[in-house]
Amino acid sequence: MWDAQRAGSPGDRALTAAKLMAGWVALLWLLEVADVISGHALDGFGIVPRTTSELVDVVPAAFIHFGFAHVAANSVPLLVLGFLAALSGIRRFAAVCALIVVADGLGVWLISPSGTNTAGASGLIFGLFGFLLVTGFVERRPLGVLAGLLVAAVWGGSILAGLAPTQSGVSWQGHLMGLVAGVAAAFVFRRRRSASSGQELIA
């Protein structure tokens, strides 16, 4: 299906992507304010592994954080990586994020240590990193390849550090599952150009 959201000018797409991600990050901060005011009642929306009732928290967990330092650490990478990913079209971006959030949440539910409570946007961040890293190669687009290399140069070290299982209090499982989901999303939602019309299609 052709993504009509890409039909506008590059400036329009950039403005839409910027507004979307600014609103997304603002929502995370508002939720953390509400969490603090409520005595951290929202922390219960984190994912406790292999508990059937916790499956409903797979999506909400990506929007909940454990303190302002936690949400602050995730804000800039989510803002930048989300903006870059959203430039390819809002509908596609929404589909990519949905796949990453659900797959990452289910992965956390399956493999995280018993008795832990996992929440935060870092799984999505790792997923967007993986998506941007490989999508240019998958679609054979020079600009996409360049964007992926730039993203790797800026955040590659942090991503590798976040996958290390030695960091106390950090869900490397969530980071790994998010990264794998983002790479998978690059293949699932890759674009192909119609030979007859020249329109870009989502595979």
Side-chain angles (χ1 to χ4, degrees):
M1 182 181 294
W2 179 49
D3 191 347
Q5 295 291 339
R6 295 192 79 240
S9 69
D12 290 339
R13 293 198 299 271
L15 181 59
T16 300
K19 289 180 177 179
L20 173 63
M21 294 316 302
W24 193 318
V25 171
L27 173 62
L28 299 185
W29 281 91
L30 287 173
L31 286 172
E32 186 54 34
V33 170
D35 186 42
V36 171
I37 292 174
S38 67
H40 300 286
L42 298 184
D43 290 355
F45 288 98
I47 301 170
V48 177
R50 293 171 298 283
T51 301
T52 304
S53 61
E54 291 292 309
L55 287 171
V56 298
D57 293 333
V58 162
V59 173
F63 296 85
I64 303 302
H65 291 79
F66 300 135
F68 290 114
H70 187 196
V71 70
N74 284 338
S75 292
V76 172
L78 179 61
L79 186 66
V80 176
L81 297 178
F83 170 77
L84 293 174
L87 289 176
S88 65
I90 300 303
R91 288 197 304 180
R92 184 196 194 193
F93 174 71
V96 167
C97 288
L99 188 154
I100 293 171
V101 167
V102 172
D104 178 59
L106 290 175
V108 167
W109 186 84
L110 284 170
I111 70 173
S112 286
S114 298
T116 57
N117 184 23
T118 303
S122 58
L124 176 59
I125 291 168
F126 275 66
L128 291 173
F129 174 88
F131 174 77
L132 290 168
L133 182 66
V134 304
T135 192
F137 294 95
V138 171
E139 299 175 356
R140 299 180 181 180
R141 296 176 182 273
L143 287 178
V145 171
L146 178 60
L149 294 175
L150 289 174
V151 165
V154 175
W155 274 288
S158 298
I159 294 296
L160 288 175
L163 296 174
T166 56
Q167 298 186 68
S168 176
V170 176
S171 176
W172 65 266
Q173 297 92 345
H175 295 170
L176 177 61
M177 291 297 101
L179 181 63
V180 171
V183 172
F187 287 90
V188 173
F189 300 111
R190 67 188 182 278
R191 293 188 182 281
R192 293 174 178 170
R193 188 174 294 276
S194 169
S196 59
S197 67
Q199 290 180 343
E200 290 183 336
L201 310 174
I202 296 177

